[in-house]
Amino acid sequence: MTYAAITGWGACMPPAILTNHDLATFLDTTDEWITSRTGMHERRISHVTATELAAVAGARALACAGLAAGDVDLIIYGGTSNDELCPNSASGVQVMLGAPRAASIDLNTACTSFCYGLATATAMIRTGIVRNALVIGVELISRYMDWSNRNVAVLFGDGAAAVVLQSSDREEGMIGAVLGCDAGARQTLRVRGVGCAYAGLDISFGDTIWDFDGPAIFKRAVQAMSEASTRVLRAAGLTADQVDLVVPHQANLRIIESVAKYAGIPMDRVIVTVHKYGNMSAATVPVALVEALEARRVKPGGVILIPAFGGGLTYCSLLVRWGERVTPLGQSDAELARCTQTALELVNQVRANQDPHGRSLKGLMTPVLAEMRVGR
Ligand code: ACO
């Protein structure tokens, strides 16, 4: 039997920090509200492109695995933030890394993109299509955030992390997965303004309206992640006691606590990064995994539960059995270009291109675009 071992890991966090107090300089919000409702204190804002974040994370993961870029068969770029739609982002990472043999795929299931990418790459390795894969979770949400909307602007951040998967005959890597999509509720989270539906309208990239029903997403997220976790554990014949670590999607501390409580797993076995990075969508799980490894919280042979959800509303819960090695084989010298601006200056640059009074998109697109139903 072939398995897909996780042999490398690496993160790339942009250095500029946006605090709750920074947000309160241009939004009607407070540190107290954000902290008490979400657990978030700060998040990162990127000064570089999403592809650069992804490539640096990828280079670090490859060095950690001791794998040459030339030996990578598959790159999966998981996330909703693409510098361009064509060519795709994974091919840009491929060029930056120098990985000429790789097949390159962009995969977008919103916040679950990294997890779906892990499941996809694992399946491709286990069926013999590829032997080595690089799976990246990356987001650059600050560029298309509606910075005039306090309901969403306080919640998100930028970041990237990656893992290397390699064919193995030992039972390790992803050993179980439940994937699904609560599509009937897809309208609860929608970013209007980005995509072909908006072509020809007098709007520029970054001029968005976020439809966001926070309380509805909260309830559905807890339910979907909890049920998926129960199912994936049952299918593997494991109980909550046998889970060594939970590495959940980081959208809200209260969501994480609810999912852990439902699973019967104490918070000291749950990795939390939401206080310092906010919700980085597809990047939250791999960044949390890398931090868990760096903090030596992943034990050789340990069982890791990974529940996640995101726009769509996609959801999943993965089960990973770690291998023997929990330390890197090598280190990359890949670095981002130096950042010369503060996070607030970077955000204010995007804000300057957004019209708070509803000129273009907000004037043209008041109703939600109708959804066409095809077939039954
Ligand atoms: N500052 C101050 N007040 C605010 C802010 C803010 N930033 N945002 C909203 N409010 C106000 C609202 O206007 C509303 O006021 P009103 O009651 O006078 O109308 C009130 O606060 C909202 O309070 P609640 O709805 O009770 O807030 P809640 O406790 O539900 O927290 C939150 C809101 C944080 C959005 C929560 O619902 C949540 O976390 N939902 C899930 C979010 C999520 O998972 N997002 C990710 C989706 S998928 C993905 O990861 C991409």
Side-chain angles (χ1 to χ4, degrees):
M1 181 86 91
T2 303
Y3 296 92
I6 301 177
T7 58
W9 51 91
C12 177
M13 296 305 300
I17 296 174
L18 189 74
T19 65
N20 292 348
H21 297 290
D22 290 330
L23 286 162
T25 63
F26 61 89
L27 284 171
D28 179 15
T29 191
T30 59
D31 176 51
E32 196 280 329
W33 191 96
I34 301 170
T35 307
S36 62
R37 301 298 173 102
T38 70
M40 298 170 190
H41 296 277
E42 55 190 46
R43 67 288 294 144
R44 301 295 174 94
I45 303 295
S46 178
H47 62 297
V48 300
T49 65
T51 311
E52 287 169 272
L53 290 176
V56 172
R60 291 174 179 168
L62 288 172
C64 174
L67 186 72
D71 291 330
V72 175
D73 302 318
L74 171 70
I75 297 172
I76 296 186
Y77 177 105
T80 47
S81 310
N82 296 97
D83 295 330
E84 294 168 312
L85 282 181
C86 184
N88 72 356
S89 299
S91 60
V93 174
Q94 180 177 347
V95 169
M96 286 185 193
L97 292 176
R101 268 183 40 192
S104 286
I105 303 175
D106 284 8
L107 191 157
N108 173 8
T109 56
C111 305
T112 58
S113 302
F114 169 81
C115 300
Y116 274 54
L118 197 66
T120 304
T122 298
M124 287 175 76
I125 288 174
R126 294 188 70 167
T127 51
I129 297 172
V130 300
R131 286 185 59 79
N132 303 317
L134 179 67
V135 181
I136 304 165
V138 51
E139 296 290 0
L140 183 57
I141 295 174
S142 61
R143 302 287 169 90
Y144 58 95
M145 174 49 62
D146 176 357
W147 289 107
S148 68
N149 181 351
R150 69 178 183 174
N151 292 320
V152 285
V154 304
L155 301 178
F156 292 90
D158 302 332
V163 297
V164 172
L165 301 185
Q166 292 187 263
S167 174
S168 167
D169 51 13
R170 288 186 302 275
E171 189 187 354
E172 59 181 287
M174 202 193 79
I175 53 168
V178 168
L179 311 178
C181 185
D182 183 6
R186 67 194 290 273
Q187 303 277 12
T188 54
L189 174 52
R190 180 175 212 135
V191 181
R192 288 192 269 155
V194 182
C196 299
Y198 306 93
L201 301 178
D202 178 24
I203 55 176
S204 58
F205 185 86
D207 191 5
T208 56
I209 294 176
W210 286 57
D211 297 327
F212 186 81
D213 184 346
I217 299 168
F218 191 112
K219 282 186 210 122
R220 286 174 184 272
V222 172
Q223 188 178 352
M225 285 197 287
S226 299
E227 288 176 6
S229 297
T230 303
R231 282 171 55 201
V232 80
L233 284 170
R234 192 184 300 138
L238 295 175
T239 63
D241 289 348
Q242 293 167 291
V243 173
D244 297 292
L245 209 56
V246 183
V247 181
H249 175 46
Q250 314 271 326
N252 184 319
L253 180 59
R254 292 185 294 142
I255 292 178
I256 296 171
E257 288 170 345
S258 301
V259 172
K261 189 172 171 194
Y262 185 93
I265 298 175
M267 283 302 288
D268 62 7
R269 280 194 265 149
V270 180
I271 300 296
V272 175
T273 63
V274 71
H275 54 295
K276 47 184 181 175
Y277 302 137
N279 179 355
M280 299 177 289
S281 181
T284 66
V285 165
V287 167
L289 181 62
V290 170
E291 296 219 342
L293 282 149
E294 288 173 352
R296 301 290 166 94
R297 294 191 62 187
V298 176
K299 301 294 172 214
V303 172
I304 304 176
L305 182 70
I306 304 179
F309 77 99
L313 296 172
T314 59
Y315 63 85
C316 64
S317 191
L318 310 182
L319 210 47
V320 166
R321 187 184 301 283
W322 204 260
E324 282 308 305
R325 185 167 57 79
V326 291
T327 51
L329 287 179
Q331 280 199 328
S332 164
D333 55 9
E335 289 290 347
L336 296 178
R338 201 164 70 84
C339 179
T340 56
Q341 287 168 290
T342 66
L344 191 53
E345 285 167 349
L346 290 164
V347 167
N348 282 336
Q349 257 172 14
V350 181
R351 289 179 64 231
N353 293 323
Q354 295 178 340
D355 184 342
H357 304 298
R359 173 187 48 89
S360 49
L361 177 65
K362 294 176 181 69
L364 285 165
M365 295 299 305
T366 319
V368 172
L369 283 185
E371 284 203 276
M372 194 184 292
R373 191 172 278 250
V374 181
R376 296 170 64 82

